[in-house]
Amino acid sequence: MALRNILQEGDPTLNKQSRPVTDFNARLHELIDDMRETLLHADGVGLAAPQVGVLRRVVLVMDTDREDATPEEQLIELINPEIIAASGEQIGPEGCLSIPGVYGIVNRPDLVKVKAQDRFGNYFEVWGSMLTARAFCHELDHLDGVLFRSLASEILSPEQLEEMRQQHEENMDEGSGS
Ligand code: ZN
């Protein structure tokens, strides 16, 4: 395994369409293993192959709904993913490893169901809610060359982001009381 360089906004590769994976071979497995290491190292919630310069439909998403799992266990590998159901709405801050330090308000569904293949080509379906749902949408957008900045209704200043985080924490505190 090796760390790969994460492309930054402005690199034209990030605006290109990625092609479906057709060969579930050792080369794909090497790409996925490198992406796992790169994502864990960057401490992100998702990573798409075009972000490491490979225009193939491969993404990783951290399933943060599984709170008891380790980061390694939370990683979901999605090959040729498609959103097959979505419901609800969440309006909140979103960031990207390719646009470090920038956060914007993006409207996303709060529950999505994704159909994908695993690294061996087997089909499976997975649900994600809240942050995981947002990460599914964000990473799948990367496969179509879309960055969150083009979807954001507003780009947040560092002060606005901090204020939002504090509000979020207060809500969490209220929610976690028994
Ligand atoms: Zn991103």
Side-chain angles (χ1 to χ4, degrees), residues 5-27:
N5 188 30
I6 298 176
L7 302 182
Q8 300 297 295
E9 186 182 31
D11 189 305
T13 302
L14 290 173
N15 301 115
K16 289 182 180 157
Q17 191 79 18
S18 291
R19 296 182 301 277
V21 171
T22 51
D23 295 323
F24 294 81
N25 54 18
R27 200 167 161 194

Side-chain angles (χ1 to χ4, degrees), residues 63-71 73-74 129-130 132 172 176:
D63 185 0
T64 49
D65 292 343
R66 293 182 58 206
E67 289 173 8
D68 296 335
T70 65
E73 289 167 346
Q74 287 180 336
S129 65
M130 302 313 293
T132 309
M172 298 278 278
S176 63

Side-chain angles (χ1 to χ4, degrees), residues 51 95-98 138-139 142 147:
Q51 289 181 280
C96 179
L97 293 174
S98 294
H138 177 109
E139 299 313 325
H142 273 299
L147 297 180

Side-chain angles (χ1 to χ4, degrees), residues 8-126:
Q8 300 297 295
E9 186 182 31
D11 189 305
T13 302
L14 290 173
N15 301 115
K16 289 182 180 157
Q17 191 79 18
S18 291
R19 296 182 301 277
V21 171
T22 51
D23 295 323
F24 294 81
N25 54 18
R27 200 167 161 194
L28 173 70
H29 295 181
E30 189 185 354
L31 168 67
I32 296 169
D33 289 341
D34 287 356
M35 285 175 61
R36 291 178 75 97
E37 191 177 347
T38 304
L39 177 58
L40 291 170
H41 182 260
D43 200 21
V45 293
L47 185 68
Q51 289 181 280
V52 296
V54 179
L55 289 170
R56 289 289 178 177
R57 301 187 82 82
V58 176
V59 309
L60 298 179
V61 168
M62 303 284 287
D63 185 0
T64 49
D65 292 343
R66 293 182 58 206
E67 289 173 8
D68 296 335
T70 65
E72 183 75 23
E73 289 167 346
Q74 287 180 336
L75 277 180
I76 309 173
E77 302 171 356
L78 303 146
I79 321 301
N80 300 328
E82 280 174 70
I83 292 174
I84 55 171
S87 66
E89 182 184 60
Q90 55 174 316
I91 299 167
E94 190 162 317
C96 179
L97 293 174
S98 294
I99 318 177
V102 176
Y103 293 85
I105 299 295
V106 183
N107 191 346
R108 300 285 194 187
D110 65 4
L111 186 63
V112 300
K113 187 181 192 181
V114 175
K115 182 182 181 186
Q117 285 166 280
D118 67 14
R119 60 166 67 202
F120 304 104
N122 303 306
Y123 284 94
F124 67 99
E125 292 176 358
V126 58

